[in-house]
Amino acid sequence: MGELRGTHVPVLLERCLELLAPALDRKDRATVYVDATLGLAGHAEAVLAAHPRTVLIGLDRDTEALAHARARLDRYADRIHLVHAVYDEFTEVLDRLGHPRVDGVLFDLGVSSLQLDAPDRGFAYAQDAPLDMRMDQSTGTTAEEVVNTYSHGELARVLRVYGEERFAGRIASAIIRERERTRMTSSARLAELVRDSIPAPARRTGGHPAKRTFQALRIEVNRELAALETALPAALDALSLGGRMVVLSYHSLEDRITKQALTARSRSTGPVDLPVELPGTGPTLRLLSRGAELAGEAEVEANPRAASVRLRAAERIEQDGRNGTETTTRRRAARERPGRVAEEVRTSDTGIADGFEVARREMPRSPGDGSGTTVQGEG
């Protein structure tokens, strides 16, 4: 294993620790924590240090990240299980390890600092590299294969849906013309094509003009959204009573999937006109964040990668089957208050239903809330 590439600072570390602590501090038994996107193990290391009786199950599809994480967590070797797996293999991994129930789960989605800062991986539009973009370089389709083999319609769909790119058709046309002349292999050349395809007025705002295209290709190559749609329900099913899940997402599509998965289980499924809950129809989750929480302004200023992070969290509860009351303590719920919250509104300019714009506003925080410096990505 070579020297660590890039700089890794865990996303919203103190807030994640605060949210997970009640689930991992069990006086009667040891607890199990799953980091579904282990990355370089920043969150995992902090959890293991804070909870001496907690066992870690760490998943990651990136073998290089796993090697670094294993070295970083060496002093906790007697209570860690690191697994080369994608998070949609959540249930299979737990079955193999003999842990059908877990107490805490973290998903830190998106591209990791290791992948983003490594020029040879092809994730960054600011550096020239082969068009790879695979998080697991041992298998799967590369971005080079996507841009050189997909039809115009398929390329436009990927850019429009996964990148929310308004000029998807123009960019797809430019890619088709370029590959008819010569095979596309360079991330710098792709970034140049995208820039030239977007009208000059549109390039003046919104950051680098290629960022949406690179995001879209990365999501397509790694099947990120399909994996997330499978993984979130599996993780929620595995939570023990009082168990908690925290999800950090970095764009509206991830956040929408997360919001839908958590909200669906936080509401009653029984008839609305009945005075009491029918057995089995009450909510099984309690939402711990009011909307999506944002990184603080100081974090964003210190590290621009923190600007897009959105946090959602929930706790597994149980209905008593008689009057629909929660068996977990409501007094604790009253004490826990969210931090900065994303105000979600429907938008029409992207063509994506349930998209959002963010209005930053301060919300009350409990005295123990933290706001660690953040960096986009897993782990």
Side-chain angles (χ1 to χ4, degrees):
M1 182 182 68
E3 184 179 351
L4 178 63
R5 304 184 290 180
T7 301
H8 172 66
V9 184
V11 178
L12 293 176
L13 178 60
E14 295 303 321
R15 182 60 173 150
C16 290
L17 290 175
E18 177 189 20
L19 287 165
L20 291 167
L24 300 179
D25 287 334
R26 307 286 182 111
K27 296 180 180 180
D28 58 331
R29 60 177 175 83
T31 53
V32 179
Y33 164 68
V34 180
D35 192 320
T37 49
L38 183 66
L40 297 178
H43 289 100
E45 182 180 41
V47 167
L48 289 167
H51 304 282
R53 299 182 64 204
T54 293
V55 173
L56 164 73
I57 299 174
L59 283 62
D60 206 289
R61 69 175 89 192
D62 190 326
T63 55
E64 184 179 1
L66 278 172
H68 284 296
R70 194 175 301 279
R72 181 174 189 168
L73 302 176
D74 182 64
R75 64 185 180 277
Y76 303 110
D78 60 334
R79 53 190 179 102
I80 66 173
H81 303 279
L82 306 189
V83 185
H84 180 216
V86 185
Y87 41 72
D88 62 357
E89 301 172 81
F90 197 99
T91 302
E92 291 86 343
V93 170
L94 294 188
D95 288 344
R96 284 204 310 268
L97 296 176
H99 290 288
R101 287 284 178 267
V102 300
D103 303 288
V105 180
L106 174 71
F107 286 88
D108 185 8
L109 304 170
V111 61
S112 74
S113 54
L114 169 66
Q115 295 157 349
L116 193 62
D117 294 336
D120 58 315
R121 301 293 291 270
F123 288 97
Y125 39 76
Q127 305 175 65
D128 192 17
L131 281 170
D132 192 323
M133 298 193 192
R134 291 174 300 169
M135 293 177 178
D136 180 355
Q137 291 189 300
S138 67
T139 187
T141 301
T142 65
E144 179 182 337
E145 294 174 82
V146 172
V147 298
N148 284 287
T149 64
Y150 277 30
S151 68
H152 181 279
E154 290 172 323
L155 281 173
R157 176 192 60 81
V158 168
L159 301 183
R160 183 174 60 254
V161 175
Y162 295 157
E164 302 177 87
E165 174 57 71
R166 287 185 296 158
F167 303 101
R170 297 176 62 156
I171 295 169
S173 296
I175 291 174
I176 298 294
R177 287 194 299 270
E178 175 72 7
R179 79 187 194 194
E180 288 174 348
R181 187 178 65 83
T182 182
R183 185 173 178 85
M184 293 190 62
T185 61
S186 163
S187 63
R189 178 56 181 150
L190 176 60
E192 182 182 9
L193 277 178
V194 174
R195 181 187 181 281
D196 292 345
S197 301
I198 296 176
R203 297 200 302 261
R204 297 190 186 112
T205 59
H208 196 290
K211 70 178 182 180
R212 292 179 294 276
T213 293
F214 275 63
Q215 171 186 291
L217 291 174
R218 188 201 83 219
I219 291 172
E220 174 71 7
V221 165
N222 295 288
R223 296 182 55 256
E224 293 176 45
L225 299 184
L228 185 61
E229 288 176 334
T230 299
L232 288 179
L236 292 172
D237 288 342
L239 282 179
S240 62
L241 180 62
R244 292 184 167 203
M245 186 168 78
V246 178
V247 182
L248 303 174
S249 58
Y250 296 88
H251 59 78
S252 61
L253 301 176
E254 292 172 342
D255 186 65
R256 183 177 67 181
I257 292 171
T258 302
K259 175 185 175 182
Q260 290 173 342
L262 299 186
T263 301
R265 300 193 186 207
S266 67
R267 294 174 175 170
S268 170
T269 59
V272 296
D273 55 347
L274 291 183
V276 296
E277 291 279 7
L278 294 176
T281 65
T284 58
L285 286 184
R286 177 171 70 89
L287 301 183
L288 301 174
S289 55
R290 189 188 312 148
E293 294 185 21
L294 308 176
E297 292 179 357
E299 296 181 50
V300 175
E301 183 177 355
N303 190 339
R305 291 180 184 174
S308 59
V309 68
R310 287 155 178 82
L311 177 151
R312 293 183 188 270
E315 178 184 38
R316 179 72 177 267
I317 62 174
E318 185 177 49
Q319 298 295 313
D320 68 10
R322 291 172 297 163
N323 58 12
T325 58
E326 296 175 8
T327 59
T328 50
T329 307
R330 286 188 177 274
R331 285 176 297 184
R332 185 170 68 194
R335 290 200 303 269
E336 292 179 302
R337 298 192 298 273
R340 296 172 57 84
V341 176
E343 186 173 293
E344 299 173 25
V345 297
R346 294 192 178 274
T347 60
S348 57
D349 57 336
T350 63
I352 301 296
D354 200 28
F356 58 78
E357 298 169 346
V358 176
R360 295 186 179 275
R361 55 191 176 89
E362 293 290 347
M363 297 297 296
R365 295 179 69 98
S366 57
D369 284 14
S371 56
T373 303
T374 66
V375 58
Q376 176 174 343
E378 299 179 0

